Amino acid sequence: MAAQLEAKTKAMRLGERIPNTPEGWPQAKIRSTFVEYFQRHAHTHWPSSSVVPHDDPTLLFANAGMNQYKSIFLGTIDPKTKMASLKRACNSQKCIRAGGKHNDLDDVGKDLYHHTFFEMLGNWSFGDYFKEEAIRMAWECLTVEFQLDPERLYVTYFGGDDLKAPGVPPDEETKRIWLKYVPASRILPFDAGDNFWEMGDVGPCGPCTEIHYDRIGGRDAASLVNMDDPDVLEIWNNVFIQYNRDRHGLKTLPAQHVDTGMGFERLASILQGKMSNYDTDVFTPLFDEIQKVSGQSKPYTGKIGDEDVGTIDMAYRVVADHVRTLSFAIADGAVPDALGRGYVLRRVLRRAVWYGQHFLGAPKGFVYKIVPRLCEVLGDAFPELRRAQSTIMAVLEGEERDFNRTIDKGARFFQKRVSSLGKGEPFPGKDAFHLSGSLGFPLDLTEIMAEEIGLKVDTEGYHASLKEEQDRNAAAVAKRKAARSAGADMTFAAEQTSAIAHLAKTDDAAKYVWNERPDARIVALFVGRGGGPKGDGFVDSVDASCQVAGAVLDATSFYAEMGGQTYDTGSLLIDDASVLQVDDVQVYAGYIVHVGAPSQTLKVGDSVQCAVDYDRRQRVAPNHTMTHVLNFALREVLLGGLEGAKEDHKKTGVDRCVQRGSHVDDERLRFDVAWDAPLTQEQLASVEKICADIVDNALSVDAVETPLDKAMDVEALRAMKGEAYPDPVRVVAIGGSVQKITSAPSAKEWSSLSVELCGGTHLRNTKDAVGFALLEEQGIAKGVRRLVACTREKAASAHACARDFRERIVAFEAMPLDTSEAFAKAEECLKLLKVEVNAAVMPQHQKMFCREALNAHSTGPMKAARKKAEKAQADAASGAFEALASSNADGAVAARVDFGCDAKLWQKLQKSILAKKASGGSFLVCSSGSGKVGVYACVAKNHTLDAREWCAAAADAIGGGKGGGKEKAANMVVLGGGD
């Protein structure tokens, strides 16, 4: 085989060569050559996943080609999904490395090869071929298909590492295979840091072999491999996943996999004869556009470091890279925001804005203008960019506008801290972290601002503050996890699923059966990862002393948590007595684990009965069914139904009003929807009415398992983006027959029905939901709204609360306001109602109505009555002050005049009446109102009284108060002084 390959390689080299230019190897040709080669070798072209991993909460972004196959490597994939049947796959995966463990953000622009967005060409084997075939195909692909000079290729392998990978032998097998293609002098051993791949501290891992390319050629570059030399670069990594690591060490996996990744941009630079990724046709059109929209006179020249005068070329690279990242992320459903991946995108945008404006001289609002050119460059390979172009531009324009408002705030904070620093003192790391975490200034922007005034930033302090926050977050997660399972880690990974791979998957067909207790057999018992004699968590028996255990059954009627629906609870029974109180049910790779506290000895092989708490499920099911109805109602109200959604998609290029997540339990339902504005009172009322009408109309709920392709053909179907559905999949239709719907998938009549893919437990008829109340609506991220609702007796209670509250408002509006006592009583009632309406559990649109009614009465009749009362009081007080002035020409008088304890009115009356008509007199006036007493004093110039002492003496007589003033004018307030 090796001899044939060598001959083929030589013939290719001697034959017609494709020139190493952008014209000879345009980017589209590079992608197609790679994919088509592996398709010829029985690989399935599995499309790139979204860069936003909606179904993997452990990742901010897809950062490697293997991410979407993670469940295969971990052994937790649902065996019913199409992906589970994959043996070989290939693609070009969209990746973002900005934030999290793999973060290249701060390095972008400083050199010629770092990117936050990049493409990863990859091929995978899932328990099929291994090292021999992987290496052969990699060599053939590079030297034959891409015509790379074999003399310029160097390979590495794992040479052993007792410190970082103790117990792992050197990968001599890989070395022996490479000797068929490469001289020994170009096969180099390295330690675990370079040639041993691990998914995490525990889990699948294995040695890897890297292929490096020497751009210069005609020399021995072995000493430059893995030395960060830009001319000797790694282009392809083949990972051989053959072990699983746990706290006891490494174990060989029964199913061994291959995971490879080749940087598309690096390969493009080699094939196009360029010395930098940024000089390829992937970037040069963007640089031309950046120069055009920024007004920068100098074009991109590819300089770095001191040669890059004015940091102009670095700014070009930053802006081009970041526009790519932002555009792909937004097209895949993410938006800049204050949390998580949204916050990372906000930092990316702000870095692009800063570099563009600061170094290229770009005007405000320039970043979004680059997007159309990007869509031209990459739109053929990734059509989602073109579809979402207008949305991407709108989001970036708004975010850039917002950042330009906050730049000054960050600069002011920076200058304030700098002004307090001593000579030679660095800018504090904790303040740099505050700028980054609270004000959205990435660390390198702070370093730039510091460098411009001759300062350094305490980067160690910054990273210490960052780690402190990460540790706090990790501790909180660990605490929640431990609290849920008595401190044991009850999750399955590859080690656990491999240990029971000889067992049949759990048959869970009975989860759709109600009010029965099917028989089952315990096929495995689990006490937590790290436990048991082998350290994999499995034991032969447990007893009542075990705080928590997991029973894997051959069959079950329990619903395992998935698809946004909570798990069933209940008991496992023997002879009608509970032997395991089931508090949690999870599924891993088709094995269903029933977690809880055992009450007696249980052994593998025991027969049990599954006793689901059907009363609890009876409260879960209506919430799940009505989540589907809510999804349907939102599309009807916000987009005008199915046809309106189609028109909206044509206009915006993205799917709006689509599901972003959900969770249902026995208390309520929660639904997250992509929408960029709060729902109005009218919209909420309309949505709730559609849902309530569907309950009242007693529509049947039909659920039928259907081939996935057939289900996806249904035009009215609502499917969640990024979700991996099993095949066959369960179709749930409300108000129609699944069989009829799938037989005529484009029929217009289905547009008035809710049709979704769902494996949850549902009602048989919507009437069993009894009622529906939409309780809350709020924003949880930019462009995402969260709705909370309830059904059955909780919905009835919410509507009763609303009716009661509206009756109380009617009674409140009828309260008299003609006397001060009546007005005060109405005012107290208003305060109470405003507090209570906020805490009341009632439909959101009713709550909004009640608030508006209270505000309307407060700003209407009550405001008019208040003004009338204040005028009457002021008129009465004015007469009283006239009488005081006429009775005290030059003496000292104390009197009570009630004018509402209003200091401003006192000043007005004192200046306009007492000072003018009795300037030789001194006055002490007490006034009560609103549960307090005001004491006011003014002393004539020729009197020796001290106004402050006079006020204090009067205040002390009625309980003591607080106040202030000067010798000739003072005031105090006595709280609760009353009359």
Side-chain angles (χ1 to χ4, degrees):
M1 177 64 73
Q4 293 174 353
L5 180 58
E6 184 179 352
K8 185 176 179 182
T9 303
K10 186 175 181 181
M12 181 68 77
R13 292 203 306 272
L14 295 175
E16 181 180 349
R17 286 194 57 81
I18 300 172
N20 292 123
T21 63
E23 294 74 27
W25 284 104
Q27 57 169 303
K29 182 176 181 178
I30 298 171
R31 284 189 203 91
S32 62
T33 298
F34 180 86
V35 170
E36 289 168 7
Y37 169 78
F38 282 100
Q39 284 180 314
R40 292 197 303 271
H41 289 76
H43 287 65
T44 300
H45 179 221
W46 195 266
S48 168
S49 68
S50 162
V51 292
V52 181
H54 297 290
D55 58 348
D56 188 346
T58 67
L59 287 175
L60 287 174
F61 300 100
N63 56 30
M66 59 76 62
N67 288 157
Q68 66 173 321
Y69 309 112
K70 185 176 173 182
S71 60
I72 299 179
F73 297 137
L74 289 173
T76 58
I77 191 168
D78 184 343
K80 296 177 183 177
T81 60
K82 277 191 173 181
M83 184 181 284
S85 66
L86 281 179
K87 290 297 182 184
R88 302 182 177 198
C90 65
N91 70 14
S92 181
Q93 170 66 44
K94 302 176 292 185
C95 299
I96 291 177
R97 290 187 179 177
K101 180 180 178 182
H102 301 286
N103 182 7
D104 291 336
L105 178 59
D106 293 335
D107 292 320
V108 169
K110 297 175 183 177
D111 54 37
L112 300 176
Y113 52 87
H114 273 103
H115 310 288
T116 54
F117 173 84
F118 61 95
E119 294 178 55
M120 185 71 83
L121 300 171
N123 61 286
W124 292 269
S125 166
F126 308 110
D128 188 15
Y129 62 82
F130 204 45
K131 296 178 183 180
E132 182 80 49
E133 199 164 354
I135 290 172
R136 180 187 64 76
M137 287 189 288
W139 184 256
E140 182 175 285
C141 183
L142 288 176
T143 59
V144 177
E145 299 300 316
F146 289 122
Q147 302 182 357
L148 296 190
D149 183 357
E151 303 301 321
R152 294 190 180 202
L153 296 176
Y154 296 77
V155 298
T156 67
Y157 70 97
F158 178 63
D161 191 330
D162 291 337
L163 183 63
K164 299 176 185 174
V168 183
D171 190 7
E172 294 295 333
E173 180 186 3
T174 292
K175 179 182 178 180
R176 285 195 299 272
I177 296 169
W178 273 123
L179 283 170
K180 299 176 183 179
Y181 310 103
V182 182
S185 60
R186 299 210 305 271
I187 304 173
L188 311 171
F190 283 90
D191 63 14
D194 290 303
N195 282 93
F196 195 84
W197 175 90
E198 298 187 76
M199 185 177 289
D201 295 334
V202 295
C205 56
C208 61
T209 180
E210 297 172 342
I211 305 174
H212 296 250
Y213 181 81
D214 177 18
R215 290 187 188 275
I216 306 300
R219 60 176 181 167
D220 181 0
S223 63
L224 300 177
V225 171
N226 279 336
M227 296 302 290
D228 291 328
D229 188 306
D231 294 326
V232 181
L233 65 160
E234 175 202 337
I235 55 173
W236 204 343
N237 188 15
N238 280 244
V239 178
F240 305 124
I241 303 174
Q242 63 187 98
Y243 302 112
N244 186 76
R245 183 187 294 282
D246 63 18
R247 68 190 184 99
H248 297 288
L250 288 178
K251 297 174 183 175
T252 300
L253 287 171
Q256 299 178 330
H257 313 296
V258 175
D259 163 29
T260 87
M262 176 158 56
F264 170 76
E265 290 80 5
R266 288 189 180 186
L267 180 62
S269 71
I270 293 169
L271 294 176
Q272 294 182 10
K274 305 297 181 181
M275 298 300 285
S276 159
N277 301 355
Y278 287 97
D279 291 330
T280 65
D281 66 354
V282 179
F283 286 96
T284 51
L286 298 182
F287 291 149
D288 293 340
E289 192 68 13
I290 292 168
Q291 183 179 16
K292 176 182 173 183
V293 301
S294 68
Q296 170 58 232
S297 59
K298 297 180 181 178
Y300 177 72
T301 57
K303 291 183 171 62
I304 60 173
D306 294 338
E307 293 183 2
D308 183 16
V309 178
T311 320
I312 290 174
D313 284 346
M314 180 177 176
Y316 270 114
R317 289 189 289 270
V318 167
V319 173
D321 172 87
H322 291 5
V323 167
R324 281 160 43 100
T325 295
L326 292 161
S327 297
F328 275 99
I330 294 168
D332 281 345
V335 288
D337 195 16
L339 297 170
R341 64 173 62 99
Y343 175 65
V344 173
L345 293 180
R346 183 164 283 171
R347 287 188 63 216
V348 170
L349 175 65
R350 292 180 173 188
R351 193 169 186 261
V353 170
W354 179 272
Y355 273 86
Q357 292 182 5
H358 203 66
F359 297 111
L360 296 179
K364 292 182 177 180
F366 79 99
V367 172
Y368 78 97
K369 296 177 182 177
I370 306 165
V371 174
R373 188 71 179 109
L374 172 67
C375 292
E376 291 176 15
V377 174
L378 291 174
D380 288 340
F382 302 102
E384 63 268 26
L385 279 181
R386 283 206 180 101
R387 292 196 297 267
Q389 179 176 320
S390 60
T391 298
I392 297 167
M393 294 178 70
V395 170
L396 292 181
E397 183 181 17
E399 275 292 318
E400 188 172 0
R401 184 172 58 248
D402 292 344
F403 179 50
N404 281 317
R405 295 194 191 108
T406 65
I407 284 178
D408 292 340
K409 186 176 180 181
R412 282 197 302 273
F413 176 84
F414 178 81
Q415 293 299 335
K416 182 179 179 181
R417 290 299 292 118
V418 166
S419 65
S420 66
L421 297 178
K423 187 175 181 181
E425 192 176 349
F427 189 80
K430 62 181 178 58
D431 292 321
F433 181 71
H434 174 75
L435 275 169
S436 172
S438 300
L439 299 178
F441 271 69
L443 175 62
D444 62 331
L445 300 194
T446 303
E447 289 180 309
I448 290 170
M449 291 190 291
E451 186 180 347
E452 288 178 343
I453 57 174
L455 284 181
K456 289 191 176 296
V457 176
D458 173 20
T459 53
E460 286 187 9
Y462 169 86
H463 289 295
S465 296
L466 176 62
K467 187 175 187 305
E468 187 179 328
E469 180 168 285
Q470 290 171 336
D471 288 346
R472 270 198 308 269
N473 293 339
V477 171
K479 185 177 180 180
R480 289 196 298 270
K481 190 175 182 181
R484 186 175 175 183
S485 54
D489 184 351
M490 300 299 290
T491 60
F492 278 25
E495 180 185 16
Q496 284 69 44
T497 54
S498 296
I500 57 174
H502 61 285
L503 300 174
K505 312 292 184 183
T506 306
D507 179 359
D508 64 346
K511 68 187 177 186
Y512 299 123
V513 177
W514 290 65
N515 301 316
E516 290 189 10
R517 292 182 174 181
D519 294 327
R521 187 171 60 87
I522 298 175
V523 296
L525 286 167
F526 184 65
V527 292
R529 289 163 71 172
K534 297 180 181 178
D536 56 11
F538 290 103
V539 294
D540 294 328
S541 65
V542 296
D543 57 33
S545 67
C546 183
Q547 285 186 298
V548 62
V552 181
L553 306 182
D554 64 342
T556 186
S557 55
F558 282 84
Y559 182 87
E561 183 171 32
M562 69 180 89
Q565 180 178 322
T566 190
Y567 45 80
D568 277 337
T569 59
S571 296
L572 298 184
L573 309 178
I574 294 179
D575 297 329
D576 290 329
S578 175
V579 294
L580 182 77
Q581 186 69 39
V582 179
D583 300 319
D584 186 7
V585 186
Q586 300 294 326
V587 59
Y588 303 100
Y591 298 107
I592 296 180
V593 191
H594 305 71
V595 180
S599 56
Q600 68 175 54
T601 299
L602 287 175
K603 301 188 206 57
V604 172
D606 282 352
S607 294
V608 295
Q609 279 189 313
C610 299
V612 172
D613 182 350
Y614 288 110
D615 288 339
R616 178 176 176 273
R617 188 194 279 184
Q618 192 67 45
R619 299 191 298 274
V620 175
N623 287 341
H624 199 155
T625 300
M626 293 309 294
T627 302
H628 289 212
V629 174
L630 175 59
N631 191 4
F632 167 78
L634 285 166
R635 182 173 66 179
E636 291 294 303
V637 172
L638 299 181
L639 295 179
L642 178 61
E643 294 305 315
K646 290 180 186 176
E647 290 301 315
D648 187 74
H649 182 82
K650 286 180 184 177
K651 189 185 303 181
T652 64
V654 295
D655 293 317
R656 297 200 305 156
C657 193
V658 294
Q659 183 175 344
R660 284 284 180 253
S662 68
H663 185 264
V664 297
D665 57 25
D666 55 331
E667 292 289 324
R668 56 182 57 188
L669 63 96
R670 188 196 75 211
F671 187 80
D672 300 338
V673 63
W675 195 250
D676 52 11
L679 273 66
T680 66
Q681 181 181 330
E682 292 74 19
Q683 287 172 330
L684 289 168
S686 297
V687 168
E688 186 178 82
K689 185 176 187 307
I690 289 174
C691 295
D693 286 348
I694 288 175
V695 173
D696 292 341
N697 291 339
L699 302 182
S700 64
V701 180
D702 193 25
V704 178
E705 206 167 67
T706 306
L708 182 59
D709 291 343
K710 192 173 182 180
M712 296 302 286
D713 287 339
V714 175
E715 200 169 321
L717 181 74
R718 298 275 272 173
M720 189 170 174
K721 186 176 182 180
E723 185 78 9
Y725 291 104
D727 189 10
V729 67
R730 203 159 178 258
V731 179
V732 177
I734 299 174
S737 160
V738 172
Q739 192 276 326
K740 290 181 179 178
I741 292 170
T742 53
S743 297
S746 299
K748 298 295 182 186
E749 60 188 293
W750 314 137
S751 64
S752 62
L753 304 179
S754 164
V755 186
E756 294 195 30
L757 307 180
C758 182
T761 55
H762 286 273
L763 301 174
R764 291 189 176 91
N765 192 291
T766 58
K767 69 181 179 182
D768 295 327
V770 183
F772 180 86
L774 186 47
L775 302 177
E776 299 174 23
E777 188 276 339
Q778 61 180 328
I780 58 167
K782 190 163 186 177
V784 180
R785 310 297 299 178
R786 172 165 290 175
L787 295 92
V788 176
C790 60
T791 60
R792 291 170 52 113
E793 64 277 359
K794 290 184 181 295
S797 175
H799 286 294
C801 176
R803 288 192 297 272
D804 176 66
F805 219 94
R806 291 182 71 151
E807 289 174 3
R808 290 175 64 188
I809 290 174
V810 171
F812 161 69
E813 290 172 340
M815 291 178 74
L817 304 170
D818 51 346
T819 66
S820 59
E821 292 80 7
F823 185 84
K825 189 175 180 182
E827 203 164 40
E828 286 301 313
C829 183
L830 174 64
K831 289 179 183 177
L832 181 63
L833 287 171
K834 282 187 172 181
V835 170
E836 289 185 358
V837 75
N838 290 330
V841 179
M842 67 171 74
Q844 179 73 6
H845 70 93
Q846 295 278 19
K847 186 173 287 193
M848 293 166 78
F849 172 85
C850 291
R851 285 173 178 155
E852 288 179 5
L854 292 173
N855 288 334
H857 196 66
S858 175
T859 57
M862 288 192 71
K863 185 176 181 180
R866 187 183 293 108
K867 285 187 175 181
K868 183 178 178 181
E870 288 172 352
K871 185 177 185 305
Q873 192 172 51
D875 290 344
S878 180
F881 271 64
E882 290 281 356
L884 276 174
S886 63
S887 66
N888 182 30
D890 55 7
V893 172
R896 171 175 176 171
V897 179
D898 287 331
F899 51 88
C901 202
D902 187 338
K904 288 183 178 179
L905 183 56
W906 152 258
Q907 290 176 354
K908 178 182 177 182
L909 295 173
Q910 190 271 330
K911 288 178 181 178
S912 63
I913 298 175
L914 300 182
K916 287 184 176 181
K917 297 185 178 181
S919 59
S922 296
F923 298 88
L924 177 78
V925 176
C926 294
S927 174
S928 70
S930 301
K932 55 189 176 182
V933 174
V935 183
Y936 308 94
C938 60
V939 176
K941 290 181 180 181
N942 59 338
H943 287 182
T944 58
L945 273 172
D946 187 309
R948 293 167 294 190
E949 294 177 358
W950 200 7
C951 275
D956 287 345
I958 52 176
K962 293 183 179 180
K966 298 180 180 179
E967 184 181 353
K968 297 299 181 182
N971 63 79
M972 298 194 85
V973 174
V974 181
L975 297 176
D979 292 332

